[in-house]
Amino acid sequence: MVLILAAWLVLTANWPLWLMLGHLDGYSGSTSWLAAIFGPLAFAGLTLLLSFSAWPRGMKAVWMLVMVLAAAGQYFMLGYGTVIDKSMVLNVFQTDLHESADLFNPRLIAELLLVAGVPGLWLAQVPVVRDGVWRNLARTLGLMLASLAVMAAVVLPSYRELAPLVRNNMSLRFMLNPANSVLAVLDAKVKPLFKHPKPFVSITAGAALGPSYVQAASAAGAGKTPLFVLVVGETGRGDHYALNGYGRDTNPELARLPVLSWHQARSCGTNTLASVPCMFSHLGKSGFESRSADYDNLLDVLQAAGLGVIWVDNQAGCKGVCERVPNFSTADRAETPAGRTLCSEGECLDEILLDGLDERIAQLPSEQRRHGVVVVLHEMGSHGPAYFRRSSPETKAFKPECTTNALADCAHEQLVNVYDNSIRYNDHVLARTIAWLQQHEGQHDVGMLYLSDHGESLGEYGIYLHGLPYAMAPEEQKHIAFIDWPGTLAARTHVDAACLGRTLDAPVTHDNLYHTVLGLMDVRSPTYRPALDAFGACRKAA
Ligand SMILES: [Zn+2]
């Protein structure tokens, strides 16, 4: 049964691998040589994988699960040009029901019926002959050793040709379906069980409000307090912002406002779960990825300094970043008048983030509000693949747009249209956020900063969505939007907006966020590094 199922998986569930062998980077040799290597390798690898579960009881259920994994894995690899790795699995476990529903479509069902349904019918009726424990064990061990022997016999003689091939085509390592899913689940979910939890290290000691707060308070009771909105965008690729030189009018509203857009901004990760905790960390990308402890983040330090901090989420949660500050989900606005127009099927357009925001802030302790408030708005942004749900009818300027989540079914032009409509809608959301801030200029020094969490592939190189391992991800997934509206807040810490305007071609990354916000809010902390403050060079001495 193991041999039959392995052969079935090789033939029906590994088309992404077979198709990829047809155009490998840096390889011009014969494809039949590749087939002679990868065919037996895949068969032996899958035999090895299945033989682990070749025990007398319950194996039919386990194998059915493997077949379903294989069908789903192939659907995502073929449909979106993605690979299945640990971070993809972590994302799956962090995704909410509405996000998963966005991914569901008839092609997935067809894939399930073919790849899993056919062997399912066979498995259901094939009789299982039960042997003694020792005989079963001996046969399974024999199967495993034979698989390993076949793999060694194939790989060792051609290692010299294979090694550079795999190095030039890193995604090959994630292509054997469903071994990729099984290994990724083990890596993401089982391995941590055997690891000690990371210690938690607090970095809030020494956090304090800077001199601007004392000056404001002493200004004969007329001192304004800061009100800063940090918008965490979703899937906003930088090169599709007109502000960054994109050839279509995706920023009609922001273009009329004094905003600053950094053209060369890069993300920490290529998916939400990798990027969001990283961008709020003081460690930066490399420090965050190699950390041996967990730390407080930017929001904890702002709160410890005495500011009011709230997180409002219009997505699948804050990935742990808002754990220690007051946080809200926009789900509680679904029945307000605004909610009834902005929300449907459990998802809301991002303008919902502003609905009732004043009331949310009013719930903060007055002791904190007396100093100032930082609001984080976590957007749904351009979350795919159901892009058509990410813009309002008024902002759908580019037509025709792709109205399915099976992106490979849409013409490239329709896909770009529907994505650009979501950027144009985000332009409207950011402009409305600025308008909301302007209503508070009487009592507050106001400002806004917008950063997206990562970019998106729109079919370039046959790749869709995002989440490829950083080292092999294309630019489109790493180039993000990074836009500041200085308002009246930047001047509070003597930032010269005209000077900032001359830095827009400088490279900035998520590493800059932590230090830039501390500088902008005039919050002192031993963790603050002036060199990473993107506004630091344009701050005049008080
Ligand atoms: Zn994201």
Side-chain angles (χ1 to χ4, degrees):
M1 288 170 79
V2 163
L3 294 174
I4 290 171
L5 290 175
W8 176 260
L9 288 171
V10 167
L11 292 174
T12 66
N14 276 282
W15 283 99
L17 174 60
W18 308 137
L19 292 171
M20 187 185 175
L21 292 182
H23 44 86
L24 287 178
D25 272 353
Y27 180 76
S28 50
S30 88
T31 43
S32 45
W33 179 80
L34 288 174
I37 299 277
F38 283 91
L41 206 52
F43 180 65
L46 292 171
T47 301
L48 183 64
L49 177 79
L50 290 167
S51 61
F52 276 102
S53 48
W55 54 71
R57 276 169 213 283
M59 90 273 209
K60 281 188 177 180
V62 173
W63 287 341
M64 248 345 276
L65 187 69
V66 170
M67 296 293 147
V68 168
L69 266 182
Q74 170 153 284
Y75 167 75
F76 286 110
M77 285 194 283
L78 277 184
Y80 301 112
T82 185
V83 298
I84 314 278
D85 68 346
K86 177 187 174 187
S87 80
M88 184 69 83
V89 167
L90 285 172
N91 269 297
V92 168
F93 281 96
Q94 286 259 341
T95 295
D96 66 19
L97 255 174
H98 302 299
E99 285 184 329
S100 334
D102 276 357
L103 285 165
F104 221 73
N105 77 43
R107 273 173 49 166
L108 176 57
I109 296 167
E111 191 89 53
L112 282 166
L113 285 177
L114 172 75
V115 176
V118 173
L121 289 176
W122 174 67
L123 273 176
Q125 48 81 39
V126 70
V128 177
V129 184
R130 295 191 206 285
D131 281 327
V133 174
W134 293 112
R135 227 183 126 180
N136 191 66
L137 201 63
R139 200 167 44 190
T140 304
L141 272 175
L143 205 53
M144 288 175 171
L145 289 174
S147 316
L148 288 170
V150 169
M151 291 163 88
V154 173
V155 171
L156 293 179
S158 41
Y159 186 77
R160 215 141 48 122
E161 293 80 28
L162 271 178
L165 208 65
V166 175
R167 204 176 309 128
N168 291 335
N169 297 273
M170 292 243 296
S171 47
L172 273 177
R173 301 191 306 184
F174 307 99
M175 294 301 273
L176 183 60
N177 186 36
N180 49 7
S181 304
V182 173
L183 294 176
V185 169
L186 291 177
D187 197 14
K189 287 284 143 186
V190 179
K191 207 168 129 199
L193 300 178
F194 297 92
K195 272 208 265 184
H196 296 294
K198 287 194 173 99
F200 187 86
V201 178
S202 179
I203 55 163
T204 55
L209 300 176
S212 64
Y213 293 85
V214 182
Q215 285 156 15
S218 63
K224 293 181 180 177
T225 57
L227 174 60
F228 172 59
V229 175
L230 173 62
V231 183
V232 178
E234 175 60 57
T235 316
R237 63 184 264 186
D239 64 342
H240 277 237
Y241 278 74
L243 295 173
N244 292 340
Y246 186 51
R248 303 177 98 177
D249 190 14
T250 49
N251 295 124
E253 297 186 47
L254 288 182
R256 292 199 298 268
L257 294 165
V259 295
L260 302 158
S261 182
W262 275 259
H263 308 141
Q264 300 299 329
R266 294 291 178 279
S267 64
C268 177
T270 65
N271 65 70
T272 309
L273 185 56
S275 275
V276 170
C278 177
M279 66 201 269
F280 283 89
S281 164
H282 68 297
L283 297 167
K285 176 174 164 59
S286 59
F288 183 78
E289 286 167 354
S290 61
R291 74 197 186 284
S292 53
D294 284 320
Y295 297 86
D296 291 308
N297 60 55
L298 174 63
L299 304 184
D300 301 310
V301 174
L302 293 169
Q303 185 172 256
L307 297 171
V309 179
I310 65 168
W311 178 289
V312 188
D313 205 286
N314 191 35
Q315 218 205 93
C318 68
K319 318 297 177 196
V321 169
C322 65
E323 257 167 27
R324 293 168 293 275
V325 302
N327 54 83
F328 305 89
S329 159
T330 54
D332 66 0
R333 309 301 294 182
E335 291 306 320
T336 66
R340 271 185 236 117
T341 49
L342 294 170
C343 304
S344 72
E345 296 171 52
E347 288 182 348
C348 301
L349 286 166
D350 281 326
E351 283 170 272
I352 195 73
L353 287 161
L354 297 170
D355 186 41
L357 191 51
D358 291 284
E359 290 101 274
R360 298 200 203 272
I361 292 172
Q363 292 178 31
L364 285 168
S366 59
E367 176 62 19
Q368 291 178 345
R369 278 186 287 126
R370 205 165 58 78
H371 295 134
V373 172
V374 174
V375 176
V376 185
L377 303 179
H378 190 202
E379 296 187 322
M380 188 58 124
S382 303
H383 197 295
Y387 304 114
F388 56 95
R389 305 183 64 188
R390 307 289 171 249
S391 53
S392 62
E394 306 82 59
T395 53
K396 290 187 188 296
F398 308 110
K399 287 171 180 161
E401 65 168 16
C402 174
T403 52
T404 167
N405 51 17
L407 302 181
D409 287 354
C410 283
H412 181 69
E413 181 207 352
Q414 292 180 8
L415 183 57
V416 173
N417 283 345
V418 73
Y419 181 81
D420 286 349
N421 287 336
S422 73
I423 299 292
R424 202 174 153 107
Y425 177 69
N426 190 44
D427 179 77
H428 175 64
V429 174
L430 295 179
R432 272 204 59 193
T433 304
I434 292 170
W436 177 83
L437 281 166
Q438 284 170 327
Q439 292 168 12
H440 294 77
E441 271 178 345
Q443 311 86 48
H444 302 285
D445 288 324
V446 294
M448 182 196 78
L449 182 64
Y450 164 78
L451 276 90
S452 45
D453 61 344
H454 49 75
E456 185 82 326
S457 283
L458 294 172
E460 298 86 1
Y461 322 104
I463 301 168
Y464 297 87
L465 306 177
H466 54 263
L468 282 180
Y470 204 86
M472 59 187 264
E475 261 311 286
E476 291 81 7
Q477 298 191 13
K478 301 186 273 200
H479 183 194
I480 52 165
F482 188 124
I483 299 168
D484 183 55
W485 176 66
T488 50
L489 182 64
R492 188 182 162 94
T493 51
H494 314 288
V495 173
D496 177 359
C499 168
L500 276 187
R502 293 189 290 273
T503 68
L504 302 181
D505 285 318
V508 288
T509 71
H510 278 162
D511 288 10
N512 295 106
L513 177 68
Y514 181 92
H515 308 278
T516 304
V517 172
L518 286 189
L520 184 63
M521 295 305 295
D522 192 22
V523 165
R524 303 294 151 107
S525 162
T527 57
Y528 172 71
R529 287 167 60 192
L532 288 174
D533 184 338
F535 300 171
C538 289
R539 191 169 280 125
K540 290 175 284 191

